């Protein structure tokens, strides 16, 4: 492990339980801020129809807005994570949310296309700072229950992504572009909470460093037991698992209502209820996967999450309306259990690189989900939406690559 790459060293066992136990107040506060962050992020696509009409934008220009947002929201995350691994910044979470605040204010007042692009990039930049650093703090507060901590943190984002479109439908669409300014209140609330978390983060690092100096030794959380080649293969496998999970999830999340309306002729309101049930399944699966992963290990959860969902995904296109809803919820819950397991396993695979790993995998989640949705939309245009649901389950066969993951990516190091 490169010198200086690790964040603040973990405290020895002699540190009090208060310092090393699971700090749920911090984790739940991070989850709440994740909810607000992802809710605000989801407002950008909701503005597209309004911006297109107001500024006579082409679909290509709309695509560039998405590109500006995704470039900063996805591609900058590993860079931020790598930097903060070397130089932890306790108050960077608040600063990152400040970028989102500025972006929202600018988006609400933007009167030209370049300003819209800049506003979208700033909102994405806030997300690029938030995800890797918040994931690091969640791990610090986990007290060894890393899967539970990451799953609780992730659930906030899931709920925010689900709430954003609903708020957009009731506020942004009726009241227009300027109504975006109202959501700046959410950014201010998040900044206030993140300021408190930054103080806890700074005190925790100071206490850890003081304890280590008193012991006269340096204690790292873990050391890698694998060669660079095996680490590289394992990371490639994890990316493949994330690809299969996110692209299939995009088929359900983005097109499920269209599928239900087209195949069963249900009303939009009924289709939205089925989509809500699907989102509830994601929340339940995310929490369950984190808890089970802490008890039985990450690899069994990955096996179950990817491969276990396959038979239900294969049955879904041939089911009636009732069973389509049941199967969709089951697939959502099973597949959602994988994310925290993948993230925590990757952090164990690359000890001391918590921010880099979080930035990479949250960034990949955004990027792969967006690319998957776009590609599946093209496939639906060329064939049909039903074809999408018959073909995409076979992506889950990539879950068989889990067999190439090493059982024990890291072990404790004692000073």
């Amino acid at each position: 492990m490169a010198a200086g790459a690790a964040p603040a060293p973990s405290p020895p066992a002699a540190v009090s339980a208060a310092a090393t136990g699971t700090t749920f107040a911090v984790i739940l506060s991070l989850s709440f801020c994740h909810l607000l962050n992802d809710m605000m992020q989801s407002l950008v696509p909701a503005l597209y129809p309004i911006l297109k009409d107001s500024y006579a934008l082409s679909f290509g220009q709309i695509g560039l807005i998405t590109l500006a947002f995704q470039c900063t929201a996805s591609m900058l995350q590993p860079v931020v994570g790598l930097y903060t691994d070397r130089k932890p910044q306790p108050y960077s979470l608040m600063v990152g949310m400040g970028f989102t605040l500025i972006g929202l204010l600018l988006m609400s007042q933007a009167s030209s296309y370049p300003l819209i692009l800049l506003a979208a990039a700033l909102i994405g930049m806030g997300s690029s700072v938030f995800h890797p650093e918040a994931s690091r703090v969640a791990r610090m507060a986990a007290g060894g229950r890393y899967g539970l901590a990451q799953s609780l943190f992730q659930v906030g984002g899931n709920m925010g992504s689900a709430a954003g479109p609903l708020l957009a439908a009731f506020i942004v669409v009726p009241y227009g572009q300027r109504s975006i300014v109202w959501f700046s209140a959410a950014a201010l609330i998040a900044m206030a909470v993140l300021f408190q978390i930054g103080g806890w983060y700074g005190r925790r690092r100071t206490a850890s460093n003081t304890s280590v100096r008193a012991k006269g030794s340096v204690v790292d959380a873990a050391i890698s037991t694998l060669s660079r080649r095996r680490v590289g293969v394992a990371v490639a496998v994890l990316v493949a698992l994330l690809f299969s999970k996110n692209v299939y999830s995009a088929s359900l999340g983005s097109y499920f209502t269209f599928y239900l309306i087209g195949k069963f002729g249900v009303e939009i309101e009924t289709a939205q209820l089925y989509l809500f049930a699907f989102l509830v399944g994601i929340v339940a699966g995310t929490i369950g996967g984190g808890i089970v992963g802490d008890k039985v290990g990450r690899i069994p959860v990955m096996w179950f999450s990817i491969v276990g969902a396959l038979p239900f995904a294969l049955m879904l296109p041939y089911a009636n309306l009732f069973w389509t809803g049941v199967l969709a919820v089951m697939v959502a819950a099973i597949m959602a259990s994988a994310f925290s397991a993948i993230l925590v396993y990757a952090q164990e695979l690359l000890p001391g690189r918590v921010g880099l790993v979080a930035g990479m995998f949250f960034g990949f989640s955004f990027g792969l989900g967006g690319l998957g949705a776009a590609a599946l939309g093209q496939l639906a245009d060329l064939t049909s939406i039903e074809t999408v649901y018959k073909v995409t389950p076979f992506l889950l066969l990539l879950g068989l690559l889990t067999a190439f993951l090493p059982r024990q990516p890291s072990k404790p190091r004692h000073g």
Side-chain angles (χ1 to χ4, degrees):
M1 187 166 59
S10 300
V15 180
S16 68
T20 57
T22 307
T23 311
F24 282 106
V26 171
I27 296 170
L28 293 176
S29 296
L30 287 168
S31 182
F32 172 68
C33 292
H34 199 183
L35 184 155
L36 296 178
N37 179 82
D38 285 23
M39 178 198 73
M40 291 182 288
Q41 305 292 314
S42 66
L43 295 174
V44 175
L47 269 179
Y48 288 171
I50 297 171
L51 296 175
K52 190 175 189 303
D53 292 340
S54 299
Y55 300 96
L57 302 180
S58 67
F59 285 111
Q61 288 174 309
I62 293 293
L64 287 177
I65 298 174
T66 301
L67 180 63
F69 172 75
Q70 290 285 4
C71 279
T72 53
S74 301
M75 298 177 67
L76 281 182
Q77 285 197 43
V79 177
V80 172
L82 181 62
Y83 177 79
T84 53
D85 280 337
R86 298 179 179 277
K87 297 181 179 180
Q89 306 291 327
Y91 292 98
S92 60
L93 284 168
M94 185 187 69
V95 173
M97 194 61 68
F99 284 117
T100 300
L101 174 62
I102 295 170
L104 288 173
L105 294 173
L106 182 59
M107 183 67 80
S108 70
Q109 303 298 319
S111 57
S112 66
Y113 183 65
L115 286 178
I116 292 171
L117 289 177
L118 176 60
L122 286 170
I123 294 171
M125 192 176 297
S127 186
S128 71
V129 176
F130 177 80
H131 284 102
E133 273 300 270
S135 181
R136 179 202 309 282
V137 180
R139 186 175 177 87
M140 288 179 65
R145 302 170 73 179
Y146 302 122
L148 176 61
Q150 292 296 337
S151 63
L152 288 175
F153 170 64
Q154 182 63 20
V155 158
N158 293 338
M159 294 173 66
S161 297
L166 292 176
L167 291 172
F170 287 107
I171 298 175
V172 179
V173 174
Y175 296 102
Q177 178 183 350
R178 294 188 182 276
S179 65
I180 288 289
V181 73
W182 299 346
F183 292 92
S184 61
L188 288 171
I189 292 170
M191 289 178 71
V193 175
L194 293 173
F195 178 79
Q196 300 298 319
I197 291 174
W200 178 88
Y201 183 6
R203 291 190 299 272
R204 180 66 177 267
R205 290 187 66 246
T206 301
S208 298
N209 290 337
T210 300
S211 177
V212 168
R213 285 194 297 269
K215 286 283 182 181
S217 63
V218 175
V219 183
D220 288 325
I223 57 172
S224 178
T225 61
L226 306 174
S227 65
R228 286 181 178 270
R229 180 178 176 277
R230 291 201 69 192
V231 169
V233 169
V235 170
V237 168
L238 294 176
V239 171
L241 296 182
L242 207 59
F243 172 80
S244 66
K245 169 189 176 300
N246 283 350
V247 174
Y248 184 75
S249 294
S251 73
L252 284 173
S254 299
Y255 303 107
F256 193 43
T257 53
F258 297 107
Y259 174 76
L260 294 172
I261 293 169
K263 183 171 182 178
F264 301 108
V266 301
E267 299 293 329
I268 294 176
E269 292 81 0
T270 303
Q272 291 289 350
L273 289 175
Y274 276 80
L275 180 60
F276 177 74
F278 166 77
L279 296 172
V280 170
I282 289 179
V283 170
T286 301
I287 296 175
I291 295 172
V292 173
D294 285 337
K295 293 183 180 296
V296 306
R298 318 298 168 199
I299 290 181
V301 172
M302 287 186 235
W303 271 117
F304 173 71
S305 177
I306 307 294
V307 180
L310 179 60
F312 303 111
L314 289 171
M315 287 189 285
L316 190 145
Y318 306 98
N320 60 24
L321 178 60
F322 172 79
W323 283 107
T324 294
V326 172
L327 290 170
V329 172
M330 292 176 68
V331 170
I334 293 172
M335 291 189 62
S337 65
F339 187 80
S340 63
I342 291 173
L343 183 63
V344 174
Y345 183 92
Q347 290 171 342
E348 293 170 353
L349 193 69
L350 296 167
R353 301 297 177 93
V354 174
L356 174 62
V357 169
M360 285 175 55
F361 282 87
F362 277 110
F364 282 144
S365 289
F366 289 138
L368 293 177
L371 290 173
L376 293 175
Q378 292 294 322
L379 178 61
D381 286 338
L382 293 172
T383 57
S384 70
I385 196 69
E386 290 187 37
T387 301
V388 169
Y389 283 85
K390 291 177 180 178
V391 171
T392 50
F394 293 99
L395 285 170
L396 302 183
L397 290 172
L398 289 173
L400 297 174
L401 294 173
T402 304
F404 293 96
L405 292 175
R407 304 294 299 181
Q408 185 69 28
S410 64
K411 66 181 181 180
R413 173 195 283 175
H414 302 288

